[in-house]
Structures are given as C-alpha cells and as structure tokens.
Amino acid sequence: MAATACLNYGAPASLNPQQKQQSPSARNNCLIDATIMGKRNMMMMGLRGRYNKANKRAGMVRCSGIGIGDFIGGDLVKPDLGRWLSDVEEHKALAIYTPHEGGYEGRYLNRLRYQGYYFLDLTARGLGDPETTLTKVHPVCPAHVGKQPIARWYFPPEVDYRLAALPPDAKGLVVWIIEAKVLSKSELQFLALLPTLRPKVRVIAECGNWRKVVWKPLKEIAGLTANEEA
C-alpha cells in the first residue's frame, strides 16, 4: 500500500479525480522510502567512482626523468653552444641527432658560421662513394631522356675544390651531411677520418633523431674508437 501511495503521491488532482486523500502516515512512508533510495543511489555512485579511479590508477603510465626541456625544447633551455664549439674543435667529426620537427640544428650551424667556418651542405642519398666524391675527380652521369646517348661528365673533388676557393681569413670548411643514417659503417668511418686527411675540414653528420639535440664523436658511432683502443 505504501508503494502504491508513493507512485500516486504528487500527481495532479485532475489525473485521479476519484482518488482519496492520502493519510499523513502514508506520506511519511513515501518520504522515508525516497530518502533510503537516494542514499542507496549515492552510495552506488561513490563505489563506482572509486572503482573507476582505481582502474585509471592501475592503467596510468608515468614517465620518469621528464623535464622542462621535453616540452619546450632542450636546446633552448640548456646553454650547450660552448660545449658544441669545443667538441667540434676536439673531435673534428661529430654525429648529431636532432628532433624530428627540425629547425634546432640551425642554431648550432650559425654558431660555427660566426666562428669563421664555411659550409658544404650535402645529402647522403645519392652521394655515392664519399671518398671518391669528396677527395677525387669523379664521374657523374646525367639523366638521359629517350634515345639520347648516355653521357659522362667529370667533376673536381668537392672538398678540395672548395678548400682552394676559401678566403684567406676562413677558419675552415664544415662538411654538413644530412640523412647520414643511410650510410654504411665503412662510409661513416671515412667521414670520421676525413679531418685527418684534410686538417681544415670539419664533418657534421646527421645520423638520426632524438627528443633534443645531442651529439657524439663520429668515430664512436662508426666503431673506430674500439679499434684504436684494441
């Protein structure tokens, strides 16, 4: 009876014209039932919320070692241009790793330019044999169309030609090679030894990508350090 009274309680009088007026005890029972149901719903919602929070905590992955450099660029926060210049002069050939979005390496290139270096920008794709292209007279076959004869042109050494054209006040020549990750180990070894063959040459090879700008000696990447220690 109390349940029936609860369903009809609060309905407009026009819908139930013949309904008798409810007693005060029935109204109190309705209020008690509504209060109990409300508390039960709130309790269930609280349990569900705790369960969902526990699941979120269990599936949450936290990365350790995150700093401000991971959000706005590590090279803009860490003043490492001085170490960059000293490493270029010490090792003479570096393997550099830059962020995927690009643009950061320009700050390091400009700092070398301010020091008096001139640049030879090359891409590793289509470079051919680095030793032949950079230090020897090498042939180049231009693309032929249709029935045109296959021609062969000879070009001077890329490095020696530009070394001879440097102004007297130039500090040296920087061979900056992009996409060097496609080069083989033997080709990287030659690039690491190129400053030994040409003392005024510095080599910067972009060997991959990383979250921020980092670099290592090219001899270490090419595997020459272990051979020298042995």
Side-chain angles (χ1 to χ4, degrees):
M1 296 297 295
T4 305
C6 290
L7 292 175
N8 293 329
Y9 179 74
S14 59
L15 296 179
N16 297 308
Q18 298 180 356
Q19 182 182 358
K20 297 181 180 180
Q21 187 175 3
Q22 295 177 349
S23 62
S25 60
R27 294 182 181 178
N28 293 335
N29 292 336
C30 291
L31 294 176
I32 293 173
D33 292 343
T35 304
I36 294 174
M37 291 297 295
K39 290 182 178 179
R40 185 180 300 174
N41 292 336
M42 292 178 63
M43 187 181 299
M44 293 299 296
M45 291 175 62
L47 292 176
R48 291 173 184 171
R50 293 178 184 176
Y51 179 74
N52 292 336
K53 290 181 180 179
N55 287 343
K56 290 180 180 179
R57 292 195 192 100
M60 187 180 299
V61 178
R62 295 184 179 274
C63 299
S64 60
I66 295 180
I68 190 174
D70 295 312
F71 298 96
I72 61 175
D75 64 316
L76 300 178
V77 178
K78 187 176 180 181
D80 55 355
L81 291 177
R83 184 169 62 89
W84 162 258
L85 294 177
S86 62
D87 287 348
V88 169
E89 296 299 334
E90 178 183 356
H91 302 289
K92 297 181 175 57
L94 296 178
I96 188 172
Y97 299 84
T98 58
H100 290 82
E101 58 269 21
Y104 297 97
E105 59 273 15
R107 299 177 65 247
Y108 299 87
L109 185 147
N110 288 333
R111 185 52 60 97
L112 291 175
R113 181 172 295 166
Y114 297 155
Q115 298 297 319
Y117 283 102
Y118 285 75
F119 286 81
L120 171 60
D121 297 325
L122 297 173
T123 175
R125 300 183 185 274
L127 180 62
D129 181 23
E131 181 180 2
T132 303
T133 304
L134 299 179
T135 61
K136 298 179 181 179
V137 177
H138 55 281
V140 175
C141 296
H144 60 89
V145 182
K147 297 182 179 180
Q148 294 181 358
I150 299 177
R152 176 175 292 182
W153 298 343
Y154 289 87
F155 285 82
E158 298 291 343
V159 169
D160 296 339
Y161 174 75
R162 284 166 175 78
L163 284 176
L166 287 179
D169 58 344
K171 191 173 182 179
L173 178 68
V174 175
V175 180
W176 195 292
I177 301 178
I178 65 174
E179 297 180 327
K181 58 186 177 182
V182 303
L183 297 178
S184 63
K185 188 175 181 179
S186 60
E187 293 172 340
L188 291 176
Q189 289 177 354
F190 170 77
L191 293 177
L193 296 175
L194 182 59
T196 305
L197 303 175
R198 304 291 189 272
K200 295 192 68 174
V201 173
R202 304 291 182 264
V203 177
I204 308 296
E206 296 185 15
C207 294
N209 300 101
W210 194 243
R211 289 183 177 178
K212 54 186 178 181
V213 178
V214 295
W215 60 85
K216 292 184 178 181
L218 190 56
K219 289 184 177 181
E220 180 180 342
I221 301 300
L224 293 177
T225 306
N227 296 335
E228 291 178 357
E229 293 178 356

